[in-house]
Amino acid sequence: MTELLLVRHGLPMAGVFDPGLSPEGTAQAERAAAWLAHEHLDALYSSPFRRARETVAPLERLTGMTATVLDDLREWDTDVSHPYTPPEQIQRDDPRSVALSEGRYEDFVPDLDWDAFRARAVRATATILDAHPGERVAAVCHGGIINTYLATMLGLPTMFWFHPGYTSVSRVRRMPGGRLVLHSVNETAHLIAERAVDAAAGSL
């Protein structure tokens, strides 16, 4: 069995192209790294975007591994004309905010080539799974990529169907026969808890 952990980046700064992490996002990345360091990961991957690379950096430090930067893991904001703004920071009268509140997720980025984006998301995950048979791999990427890939895998009619939390983890398993299984969606326990092994180590 091969397991792929799709990790969304931490909260980024708003209103700029290719933003880095905000202070809150940096704290989220540190908590995610401390949690995932106990997962016995075999490899790390990252989107080339700054917010993803800064999110994976603490995990690289704790595991001693260097993340492979995979361009196909990038988010949609290089393919449209406006800078990235976290959805929760968009003004309420912005048409994109209205589209999100009404569940019209595709209208959030109406100028995106959805077919090309879907194909890229599927290609990115297949590249990772094919390269690591029988291993566990974490890939730090983006909410759109995670949404689109999981929707495609599940055969859902819409590509944006849930809102991944920052540094949330969604797990996909490829079984020995090649069947893909969605094991979990949107894990965020690391943001409010510590693993038992962490707590025990701290009490020594």
Side-chain angles (χ1 to χ4, degrees), residues 41-76:
L41 297 168
D42 296 293
L44 302 175
Y45 281 76
S46 174
S47 155
F49 283 8
R50 184 179 172 189
R51 57 191 184 271
R53 290 186 288 107
E54 291 184 2
T55 300
V56 81
L59 189 54
E60 290 178 310
R61 185 178 68 248
L62 290 178
T63 62
M65 293 188 288
T66 299
T68 298
V69 175
L70 183 62
D71 187 62
D72 277 344
L73 287 173
R74 72 186 188 278
E75 186 64 304
W76 44 259

Side-chain angles (χ1 to χ4, degrees), residues 4 19 29 31 39 53 64 81 89 110 113 115 117 120 129 155 157 161 169 175 184 194 204:
L4 173 60
R31 291 192 67 90
E39 292 273 353
R53 290 186 288 107
S81 58
Q89 296 182 23
D113 184 335
D115 290 338
F117 187 67
R120 179 158 61 76
L129 290 167
W161 59 284
V169 179
M175 308 310 287
S184 71
E194 294 183 359
L204 295 177

Side-chain angles (χ1 to χ4, degrees), residues 5-199:
L5 282 62
L6 295 169
V7 183
R8 190 187 181 195
H9 58 79
L11 177 68
M13 297 181 291
V16 297
F17 287 100
D18 195 18
L21 293 181
S22 66
E24 182 179 351
T26 298
Q28 292 167 343
E30 293 286 350
R31 291 192 67 90
W35 187 273
L36 294 175
H38 298 283
E39 292 273 353
H40 304 293
L41 297 168
D42 296 293
L44 302 175
Y45 281 76
S46 174
S47 155
F49 283 8
R50 184 179 172 189
R51 57 191 184 271
R53 290 186 288 107
E54 291 184 2
T55 300
V56 81
L59 189 54
E60 290 178 310
R61 185 178 68 248
L62 290 178
T63 62
M65 293 188 288
T66 299
T68 298
V69 175
L70 183 62
D71 187 62
D72 277 344
L73 287 173
R74 72 186 188 278
E75 186 64 304
W76 44 259
D77 43 312
T78 51
D79 302 326
V80 296
S81 58
H82 52 80
Y84 179 85
T85 299
E88 54 277 304
Q89 296 182 23
I90 297 174
Q91 297 298 315
R92 296 177 67 178
D93 59 351
D94 189 305
R96 293 177 295 162
S97 178
V98 176
L100 287 176
S101 67
E102 295 178 354
R104 295 182 287 105
Y105 298 112
E106 279 78 2
D107 290 340
F108 182 62
V109 278
D111 47 346
L112 180 65
D113 184 335
W114 289 98
D115 290 338
F117 187 67
R118 182 196 297 270
R120 179 158 61 76
V122 172
R123 184 171 64 239
T125 52
T127 296
I128 297 170
L129 290 167
D130 289 346
H132 298 277
E135 297 182 337
R136 178 179 289 125
V137 182
V140 178
C141 51
H142 306 271
I145 286 287
I146 296 168
N147 259 284
T148 301
Y149 174 67
L150 296 184
T152 302
M153 194 185 84
L154 295 171
L156 300 180
T158 181
M159 290 195 290
F160 280 9
W161 59 284
F162 80 107
H163 185 67
Y166 290 110
T167 66
S168 64
V169 179
S170 297
R171 299 170 189 261
V172 174
R173 291 176 174 175
R174 180 188 274 178
M175 308 310 287
R179 183 169 64 96
L180 291 171
V181 177
L182 179 58
H183 184 67
S184 71
V185 175
N186 210 27
E187 298 176 19
T188 55
H190 58 274
L191 296 177
I192 58 173
E194 294 183 359
R195 284 187 182 270
V197 290
D198 296 338

